């Protein structure tokens, strides 16, 4: 829709200009630092940072009701920079000029209602939010769009023309970073550090295809993370892990979209997210808190964080009910099908501790829960989800398994509605599906397929058929007739078809 067709009172707000006064704030000592440089940890105490906008007066002055209208009208606006995460510009990074925004088609992923069979199985209504439908096929693109837009802006402002962007990854961060970096081209190069053999072939092919330098490290993600941290402390590189708080800001769009897609009624919703490095759950909590504070939503949804029993440090931390007695210890991860979340020492743990406490306090009751699921439950849930019209990855399966666990644990009321984060596309994780179908899991995974859920292709080789067509070698007329006849009969027999 053209600008002059929007209501007059909304027009001035449609295309925003930078006004924010953003600063890094340390989660530990609360010191603030300006955003003229990329920093990842507090120069004073070493803790992780979060970005915040000090000019919230602007948001308050406009008020929840008008914000809802602004976002709903922006939905109709054809302006590329505002089509992705930056529909919520003022709540993400209102310091980036909109002509510096990178948009590759990320965000506004569909909420797909579970079919009747799945809803009946769980006894409750729920949706999948398919974040595998982002450009690099995972939710990481939300954060990358923000981080790279900011770097783009900074590079132009400071006339930097030789930036090396670097990240450690369980597969999806590197795919996303490499994609966005390749779009920006000349002034920015990217290198990614991967744990050798711990990302799927599809995930490995992504940064290679985007032209990134791909460095494989023998070890697990936690080891790669230590190396990349050392690099970012000692060398001039732009770190693109979720330690980079610009990523968190972009990922908050997940919450904003859920709010908008339910017409801002989220008090009865239960958001379910898998936890790895804990950047995602940090962003989800922070996003809903922002909308609640400004009055865009009037209740905070419940949030369920899910971890596999093979990588469950966050779950373990919260097992202790008394906040004063809790203490965090990293765990040594074991093989997990939820490989993208196979992390024993989550970088965002201090952010989670702070935000979960604030969230529950603001809601006036406990609204954040953590559950643990088995590898078997994750795989079975993924297969079941996808046999019911979804495109869930193993971590999406983890969300479904975790939702079931939360229901069984009494964390969900019957009238509440689940929103399950399917964080990536199944196609990235098809090797795990293959292992399930072939009963090929290494014993370390502890997964045995349920026979009814297995599937395999059937090769058709009818007995009477001796010749088959090949590329460049078609069959002759009579041979082709025989081929069609024999194949048809074979298929009819396998499928038990009745003659017309
Ligand atoms: C990164 C990732 C996760 C874990 O998210 P964190 O922010 O690290 O907790 C889960 N699923 C997929 C598909 C991912 O790529
Ligand atoms: Zn500090």
């Amino acid at each position: 829709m053209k600008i002059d067709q929007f209501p007059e009172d909304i027009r001035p707000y449609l295309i925003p200009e930078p006004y924010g006064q953003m600063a890094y704030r340390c989660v530990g000592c609360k010191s603030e630092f300006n955003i003229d440089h990329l920093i990842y940890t507090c120069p004073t105490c070493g803790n992780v940072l979060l970005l915040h906008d000090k000019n919230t007066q602007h948001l308050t002055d406009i008020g929840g009701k008008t914000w809802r209208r602004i976002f709903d009208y922006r939905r109709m606006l054809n302006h590329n920079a505002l089509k992705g995460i930056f529909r919520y510009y003022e709540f993400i990074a209102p310091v980036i000029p909109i002509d510096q925004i990178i948009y590759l088609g990320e965000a506004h992923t569909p909420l797909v209602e579970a079919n009747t069979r799945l809803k009946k199985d769980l006894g409750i209504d729920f949706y999948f939010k398919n974040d595998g439908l982002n450009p690099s096929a995972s939710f990481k693109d939300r954060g990358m769009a923000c981080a790279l837009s900011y770097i783009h802006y900074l590079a132009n402002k400071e006339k930097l023309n030789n930036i090396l962007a670097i990240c450690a990854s369980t597969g999806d961060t590197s795919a996303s970073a490499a994609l966005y970096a390749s779009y920006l081209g000349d002034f920015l190069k990217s290198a990614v550090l991967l744990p050798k053999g711990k990302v799927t072939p599809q995930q490995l092919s992504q940064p290679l295809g985007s032209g990134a330098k791909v460095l494989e490290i023998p070890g697990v993600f936690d080891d790669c993370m230590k190396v990349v941290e050392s690099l970012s402390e000692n060398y001039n590189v732009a770190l693109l892990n979720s330690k980079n708080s610009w990523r968190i800001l972009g990922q908050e769009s997940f919450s904003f979209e859920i709010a908008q897609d339910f017409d801002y009624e989220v008090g009865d919703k239960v958001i379910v997210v898998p936890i790895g490095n804990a950047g995602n759950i940090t962003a989800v909590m922070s996003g809903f808190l922002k909308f609640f504070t400004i009055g865009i939503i009037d209740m905070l949804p419940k949030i369920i964080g899910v971890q596999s029993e093979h990588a469950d440090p966050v779950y373990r931390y919260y097992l202790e009910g008394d906040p004063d007695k809790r203490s965090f210890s990293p765990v040594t991860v074991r093989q997990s099908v939820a490989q993208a979340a196979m992390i024993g020492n989550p970088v965002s743990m201090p952010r989670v501790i702070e935000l979960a406490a604030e969230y529950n306090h603001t809601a006036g009751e406990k609204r954040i829960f953590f559950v643990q699921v088995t590898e078997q439950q994750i795989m079975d849930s993924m297969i079941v989800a996808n046999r019911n019209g979804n495109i869930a990855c193993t971590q999406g399966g983890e969300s479904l398994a975790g939702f079931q666990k939360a229901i069984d644990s009494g964390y969900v009321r019957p009238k509440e509605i689940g929103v399950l984060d399917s964080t990536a596309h199944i196609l990235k994780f098809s090797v795990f599906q293959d292992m399930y179908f072939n009963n090929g899991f290494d014993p370390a995974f502890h997964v045995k397929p349920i026979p009814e859920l297995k599937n395999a292709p059937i090769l058709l080789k009818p007995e009477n058929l001796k010749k088959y067509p090949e590329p460049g070698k078609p069959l002759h007329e009579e041979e082709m007739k025989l081929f069609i006849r024999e194949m048809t009969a074979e298929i009819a027999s396998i499928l038990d078809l009745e003659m017309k």
Side-chain angles (χ1 to χ4, degrees):
M1 193 157 95
K2 295 215 166 83
I3 289 281
D4 59 9
Q5 289 166 325
F6 286 85
E8 227 164 290
D9 64 324
I10 289 296
R11 267 180 239 166
Y13 299 115
L14 280 174
I15 300 175
E17 288 196 4
Y19 70 87
Q21 295 160 18
M22 297 193 79
Y24 294 103
R25 184 162 56 196
C26 172
V27 170
C29 71
K30 313 289 174 203
S31 308
E32 293 198 354
F33 307 95
N34 81 40
I35 57 165
D36 291 348
H37 298 282
L38 271 171
I39 54 169
Y40 315 106
T41 47
C42 173
T44 314
C45 80
N47 214 320
V48 283
L49 308 165
L50 280 170
L51 281 153
H52 75 125
D53 182 8
K54 295 194 272 191
N55 186 9
T56 47
Q57 194 55 46
H58 175 69
L59 305 179
T60 315
D61 288 347
I62 290 173
K65 188 162 170 254
T66 304
W67 281 118
R68 293 195 287 267
R69 293 183 62 225
I70 293 170
F71 299 142
D72 290 345
Y73 278 113
R74 267 190 201 152
R75 212 179 218 154
M76 292 185 256
L77 182 71
N78 288 318
H79 194 303
N80 243 21
L82 303 174
K83 278 191 173 168
I85 60 169
F86 287 104
R87 179 187 292 169
Y88 314 100
Y89 178 86
E90 296 84 350
F91 290 79
I92 292 184
V95 290
I96 305 176
I98 62 171
D99 64 354
Q100 302 295 299
I101 286 173
I102 314 298
Y103 170 69
L104 299 188
E106 63 284 341
H108 306 294
T109 52
L111 268 177
V112 177
E113 191 172 359
N115 68 359
T116 316
R117 190 157 46 156
L118 271 184
K119 286 194 288 195
K120 226 169 118 203
D121 278 358
L122 273 80
I124 196 161
D125 285 358
F126 68 99
Y127 295 73
F128 271 104
K129 186 160 169 67
N130 283 334
D131 259 23
L133 294 177
N134 275 300
S136 80
S138 87
F139 78 87
K140 299 291 200 299
D141 295 335
R142 298 175 177 279
M144 225 46 90
C146 182
L148 270 298
S149 296
Y150 173 71
I151 291 174
H152 186 215
Y153 158 60
L154 201 64
N156 279 335
K157 195 167 78 131
E158 310 284 329
K159 312 242 174 314
L160 311 172
N161 53 23
N162 192 12
I163 302 176
L164 179 67
I166 193 159
C167 67
S169 176
T170 52
D172 292 333
T173 300
S174 52
S176 183
L179 176 68
Y180 283 78
S182 72
Y183 183 82
L184 278 175
D186 28 341
F187 75 93
L188 184 80
K189 294 199 172 41
S190 76
V192 305
L193 270 62
L194 300 174
K196 180 158 173 45
K198 296 283 178 295
V199 307
T200 70
Q202 294 77 11
Q203 289 171 319
L204 177 59
S205 79
Q206 289 186 288
L208 288 172
S210 298
K213 192 70 88 213
V214 176
L215 308 164
E216 293 185 298
I217 295 187
V220 296
F221 172 82
D222 293 301
D223 307 309
C224 294
M225 192 65 214
K226 291 200 183 90
V227 175
V228 93
E229 280 172 338
S230 153
L231 278 169
S232 71
E233 276 155 29
N234 295 301
Y235 294 90
N236 218 344
V237 292
L239 179 70
L240 289 181
N241 281 92
S242 53
K243 201 165 191 180
N244 179 330
S245 339
W246 297 94
R247 284 239 346 248
I248 303 290
L249 290 174
Q251 289 174 198
E252 290 175 7
S253 60
F254 183 82
S255 299
F256 303 154
E257 287 170 25
I258 291 172
Q260 187 172 20
D261 287 350
F262 284 109
D263 292 320
Y264 307 98
E265 281 175 20
V266 289
D268 60 347
K269 304 300 181 297
V270 180
I271 318 299
V272 187
V273 294
I275 304 179
N277 224 0
N280 193 21
I281 192 164
T282 295
V284 172
M285 291 189 286
S286 174
F288 283 119
L289 275 169
K290 279 187 190 171
F291 266 24
F292 181 78
T293 309
I294 303 301
I296 297 171
I297 53 175
D298 58 10
M299 274 181 82
L300 289 168
K302 280 184 187 161
I303 297 174
I304 314 273
V306 191
Q307 295 210 288
S308 157
E309 62 178 1
H310 285 187
D312 58 357
V314 183
Y315 168 77
R316 281 166 189 268
Y317 174 85
Y318 283 102
L319 275 180
E320 168 59 60
D322 180 353
D324 295 332
K325 290 206 193 124
R326 285 179 193 145
S327 82
F328 180 75
S329 21
V331 305
T332 303
V333 295
R334 289 178 283 156
Q335 283 288 22
S336 175
V337 297
Q339 202 170 45
M342 205 177 106
I343 296 174
N345 190 12
V347 160
S348 283
M349 193 64 207
R351 293 166 168 162
V352 172
I353 294 171
E354 173 168 286
L355 282 164
E358 185 185 338
Y359 200 96
N360 288 330
H361 177 78
T362 308
E365 61 172 10
K366 187 168 172 190
R367 298 293 273 174
I368 310 271
F369 301 86
F370 298 92
V371 297
Q372 180 210 48
V373 293
T374 65
E375 291 289 309
Q376 182 73 48
Q377 289 165 338
I378 296 174
M379 273 316 293
D380 294 345
S381 300
M382 180 190 89
I383 306 281
V384 166
N386 295 345
R387 288 176 77 110
N388 284 279
N390 298 297
I391 50 167
C393 62
T394 44
Q395 294 69 219
E398 189 176 4
S399 292
L400 179 56
F403 188 45
Q404 179 73 66
K405 188 70 181 278
I407 295 168
D408 297 344
S409 310
Y411 300 155
V412 184
R413 294 203 196 98
K415 286 267 173 286
E416 289 178 323
I417 296 168
V419 180
L420 281 46
D421 192 352
S422 180
T423 44
H425 200 291
I426 172 59
L427 289 177
K428 284 194 183 220
F429 293 88
S430 58
V431 290
F432 293 106
Q433 178 182 290
D434 293 345
M435 286 193 243
Y436 194 92
F437 290 164
N438 305 328
N439 195 9
F441 276 108
D442 182 287
F445 284 101
H446 295 110
V447 178
K448 283 263 172 293
I450 296 174
E452 304 85 79
L453 293 182
K454 281 165 69 168
N455 205 357
I458 301 165
L459 180 64
L460 300 176
K461 282 213 149 182
E463 246 174 66
N464 296 334
L465 204 56
K466 301 285 172 272
K467 286 189 86 174
Y468 297 91
E470 282 176 51
K473 287 191 213 156
L475 296 179
H476 299 299
E477 207 174 325
E478 282 310 311
E479 293 169 336
M480 193 62 199
K481 276 189 190 148
L482 181 69
F483 174 80
I484 293 169
R485 199 170 59 231
E486 290 296 321
M487 283 295 178
T488 309
E490 176 97 352
I491 292 168
S493 147
I494 290 172
L495 299 180
D496 221 1
L497 302 181
E498 275 177 34
M499 281 281 205
K500 277 212 258 198

